[in-house]
Amino acid sequence: MRDRLLQLEKAALSEISSIKNKEAVIELKNRYLGRKGELASLTKELGKLSHEERPVVGDLINSIRGRIEERVNSLLTAFAQDEREQRLKAERVDVTLPGRYLPLGNSHPITQIMDEVVSIFLGMGFKVAEGPEVETDYYNFEALNIPKDHPARDMQDTFYISDDVLLRTHTSPVQIRVMQGKKPPLRVIAPGKVYRRDSDITHTPMFHQVEGFMVDESITFGDLKGVLTAFLHSLFREDIAIRFRPSFFPFTEPSVEVDIQCVMCNGKGCRVCKGSGWLEILGAGMIHPMVFKAVDYDSERYTGFAFGLGIERIAMLKYGIDDIRMFFENDVRFLRQF
Ligand code: DAH
């Protein structure tokens, strides 16, 4: 019996020394140490032994069980630790890996210039107003002192929806809408889309304007010059030369067109400024008494100036783009450059 027990221990320990995985350890543990395992069946034979032998062999069985158990348990711990290490390795996050690329858009160059123009005027205390793109003849023309037979209507190639309804040809009708609803003092800009039947490398049927106006008691032409000069210096360059040229608009009197020194040739004369050294940037003037009459303002008490400018033209000059249609072709290779 003693020999059989020692042999069993030897066999178990040698099996253990070549074991490869956790499952095999558990199987071996059951086979040797389980309730119906080999050690248990030898234990049953204790009864056949003599009184003297029984405790001695019993002790031997217990110590063999102890040694096998100890080896088995230490193996199980080792395998568990191994498994844990493997899992941690597999789960490790490499924080030095580059992040996933999220495609990021940018705002359209026209939007960018629009935002810049608006923010300069916000800085001078102007408020933003908006009006409808589908407008009536009255707001787009009549109230702006452009009656039905006025030659100025020919300059504006209007998209008509009906005799009386049209796509606004400029942002000036917003002047009327704002003044109808509010009393002076007013400092307002109105950015938005306008429409004209025109299409070539400097014209598209839809383009953007910013209208602005200021009305109060004793607003003068000096205020017009001061505000527009500050605006253009901020938009282009602090020291850019500016020129006010007499002009005509039905809704202002006197009227001016405002030029800046050509940004392409610095005034020397080039293709863009057609050799003149100057670029026309905006139209402006002192609001006409007929316009004040249309909104029921007393033109003896109030005066004001107004101006309007085209955003595409400014964007073309700032970015050196010579075909306006590029803005609306939605070619991302073009748009990504801004
Ligand atoms: N509405 C004019 C246009 O579209 C631009 C303009 C000129 C607006 C003079 C004004 C102004 O307010 O005073 O050509």
Side-chain angles (χ1 to χ4, degrees):
M1 179 112 182
R2 221 186 142 79
D3 286 346
R4 282 165 66 201
L5 279 168
L6 290 175
Q7 213 151 17
L8 181 137
E9 179 179 14
K10 212 172 137 198
L13 294 181
S14 107
E15 252 186 81
I16 286 173
S17 65
S18 62
I19 228 154
K20 290 277 178 331
N21 57 55
K22 186 173 124 192
E23 288 69 34
V25 182
I26 291 166
E27 187 273 328
L28 177 139
K29 185 178 176 186
N30 287 332
R31 183 149 44 81
Y32 284 100
L33 309 179
R35 262 192 316 121
K36 291 178 178 162
E38 302 206 16
L39 215 52
S41 61
L42 280 174
T43 309
K44 278 184 197 135
E45 292 177 28
L46 275 179
K48 293 179 193 164
L49 299 175
S50 67
H51 248 331
E52 294 78 44
E53 278 181 308
R54 221 178 277 162
V56 181
V57 175
D59 271 355
L60 182 60
I61 290 178
N62 282 341
S63 63
I64 289 175
R65 174 179 292 276
R67 286 195 289 273
I68 297 178
E69 237 164 24
E70 195 186 298
R71 292 288 303 277
V72 160
N73 286 341
S74 80
L75 260 182
L76 285 176
T77 325
F79 280 128
Q81 196 166 345
D82 238 38
E83 212 170 73
R84 195 179 129 80
E85 263 163 31
Q86 294 289 335
R87 210 180 56 233
L88 285 180
K89 215 182 224 168
E91 284 174 357
R92 197 176 67 190
V93 176
D94 182 354
V95 294
T96 68
L97 279 175
R100 210 167 293 169
Y101 170 72
L102 286 180
L104 195 60
N106 56 281
S107 57
H108 192 279
I110 296 301
T111 308
Q112 289 182 32
I113 298 287
M114 193 72 117
D115 289 349
E116 195 178 343
V117 169
V118 168
S119 90
I120 293 170
F121 282 106
L122 288 181
M124 292 194 273
F126 282 68
K127 294 269 183 293
V128 175
E130 280 182 286
E133 290 168 30
V134 177
E135 192 47 288
T136 62
D137 183 279
Y138 176 77
Y139 285 105
N140 196 79
F141 294 125
E142 207 80 25
L144 288 163
N145 196 30
I146 315 173
K148 284 255 184 310
D149 57 351
H150 198 287
R153 287 206 182 196
D154 295 342
M155 292 165 23
Q156 313 219 338
D157 308 290
T158 311
F159 285 111
Y160 279 96
I161 288 166
S162 68
D163 268 0
D164 244 17
V165 181
L166 44 80
L167 296 182
R168 67 179 180 190
T169 58
H170 51 181
T171 43
S172 303
V174 185
Q175 286 185 37
I176 306 297
R177 289 182 173 276
V178 171
M179 287 193 282
Q180 271 184 343
K182 286 200 182 81
K183 291 265 152 278
L186 288 176
R187 264 183 296 184
V188 174
I189 45 165
K193 291 181 164 71
V194 300
Y195 301 84
R196 289 182 201 175
R197 299 178 40 157
D198 215 345
S199 188
D200 57 42
I201 70 163
T202 53
H203 298 89
T204 45
M206 182 283 299
F207 60 103
H208 299 79
Q209 285 189 337
V210 172
E211 191 80 13
F213 60 99
M214 186 165 172
V215 182
D216 200 355
E217 289 174 7
S218 71
I219 296 289
T220 69
F221 195 83
D223 294 308
L224 179 157
K225 286 185 75 174
V227 167
L228 293 181
T229 300
F231 163 65
L232 291 172
H233 280 169
S234 168
L235 187 63
F236 289 97
R237 230 182 40 226
E238 267 325 308
D239 59 348
I240 203 161
I242 291 167
R243 165 173 101 164
F244 293 79
R245 206 162 23 78
S247 186
F248 172 80
F249 298 102
F251 32 89
T252 45
E253 179 61 33
S255 302
V256 287
E257 278 176 313
V258 184
D259 299 340
I260 55 167
Q261 185 187 75
C262 181
V263 289
M264 301 296 168
C265 63
N266 287 326
K268 286 186 209 62
C270 67
R271 194 176 53 86
V272 174
C273 60
K274 299 194 180 82
S276 72
W278 295 96
L279 295 167
E280 184 197 322
I281 285 296
L282 51 82
M286 300 306 290
I287 296 174
H288 199 290
M290 288 296 278
V291 172
F292 282 147
K293 195 172 162 212
V295 296
D296 235 0
Y297 279 10
D298 178 1
S299 60
E300 292 299 316
R301 179 171 171 201
Y302 295 114
T303 51
F305 67 84
F307 58 91
L309 55 95
I311 294 296
E312 279 76 2
R313 184 170 160 74
I314 290 173
M316 289 170 80
L317 293 172
K318 273 197 98 157
Y319 297 129
I321 293 159
D322 53 15
D323 186 344
I324 190 175
R325 293 169 295 198
M326 308 267 284
F327 289 126
F328 305 113
E329 278 165 0
N330 287 332
D331 184 335
V332 289
R333 292 168 302 178
F334 171 76
L335 295 175
R336 278 212 186 106
Q337 297 175 49
F338 303 94

